[in-house]
Amino acid sequence: MNKIRTETERLVIRFLEEGDYSSWLIQYENRLPSQHKYDEGKLDMSICTQEWFRDLVTKHHQMAEDDKVYVFGVFRKEDHTHIGFIDFSTIMREEFQWARFGYTIHNHFWRKGYGQEAVKAAIDLAFEKLNYHRIEAHINLDNIASIKLAESVGMVYECTRKGFIYENDKWTDHLVYFINAK
């Protein structure tokens, strides 16, 4: 499982390892205050000890072994700085080979093209190494930055799912963007 990774000109996308703790923690601590309602901004990292992180890494690896969820760290190649993550959740295998995916770049790395570069590479990784055929992004109707990112990597709007996810104490509509393997 640890061999599943990809690289771009500036980035490495791979599973977290125990040795990533310092870079991971520093970048969460360096986050700017929330920039909009879909940006978590600064988080309380006080529970995130090295032991807690080790358990997180183990959990991520187990979920990948079980083909449920694949969580990849996004690292800057030049200095191994953790800049975000991308995750794929298997919806169904068999004749569908279908997954949902999400992406987060720490807000102090925005507007440098990292999101588009990482998402493009991760989609290729999902098709080539995880053997998905269809990938969906489920996006809040007013999350313009996420919509633009999905469109910029070739994802296509398919539909609006009404009352699709329970968040903020209510059922919310989501846009569905998708891309299929070629």
Side-chain angles (χ1 to χ4, degrees):
M1 223 15 91
N2 282 337
K3 303 281 187 223
I4 300 174
R5 62 181 284 144
T6 192
E7 295 186 14
T8 68
E9 183 181 329
R10 302 182 299 163
L11 304 174
V12 175
I13 299 164
R14 61 170 175 76
F15 290 113
L16 292 175
E17 300 166 0
E18 286 182 34
D20 296 325
Y21 175 69
S22 292
S23 178
W24 177 89
L25 182 63
I26 288 167
Q27 297 315 318
Y28 271 96
E29 290 174 338
N30 285 343
R31 280 182 164 190
L32 303 171
S34 178
Q35 306 296 300
H36 57 72
K37 75 181 189 180
Y38 299 112
D39 173 23
E40 293 177 309
K42 284 198 167 288
L43 301 172
D44 177 6
M45 302 301 287
S46 61
I47 66 160
C48 302
T49 63
Q50 195 147 10
E51 183 178 335
W52 180 93
F53 185 77
R54 187 178 315 113
D55 290 345
L56 177 72
V57 169
T58 300
K59 179 181 172 186
H60 284 180
H61 287 229
Q62 187 58 57
M63 289 188 305
E65 286 289 331
D66 295 342
D67 191 39
K68 291 182 179 177
V69 180
Y70 299 85
V71 181
F72 295 98
V74 179
F75 296 86
R76 199 165 46 196
K77 195 184 280 188
E78 70 184 53
D79 56 7
H80 310 289
T81 297
H82 180 263
I83 65 168
F85 65 88
I86 294 179
D87 64 276
F88 293 93
S89 300
T90 302
I91 297 173
M92 186 172 283
R93 284 294 190 175
E94 300 169 359
E95 64 271 17
F96 292 96
Q97 302 300 329
W98 178 22
R100 181 221 51 89
F101 91 116
Y103 35 83
T104 298
I105 300 296
H106 298 307
N107 61 16
H108 53 291
F109 292 110
W110 289 357
R111 295 174 188 79
K112 294 176 173 49
Y114 291 134
Q116 184 180 41
E117 188 174 337
V119 167
K120 235 183 229 183
I123 288 172
D124 289 343
L125 179 147
F127 290 146
E128 295 165 13
K129 296 183 181 173
L130 301 178
N131 299 313
Y132 291 122
H133 171 73
R134 177 186 174 93
I135 297 168
E136 291 182 358
H138 303 154
I139 305 172
N140 290 86
L141 277 57
D142 60 347
N143 191 342
I144 303 305
S146 191
I147 292 166
K148 286 182 179 180
L149 177 55
E151 290 174 346
S152 77
V153 299
M155 297 190 84
V156 176
Y157 169 78
E158 181 174 58
C159 65
T160 301
R161 290 197 181 134
K162 301 291 186 178
F164 184 62
I165 186 169
Y166 193 76
E167 59 185 5
N168 303 319
D169 298 321
K170 63 182 178 183
W171 287 99
T172 347
D173 300 347
H174 269 207
L175 304 173
V176 175
Y177 277 77
F178 80 98
I179 190 167
N180 285 339
K182 294 176 175 58

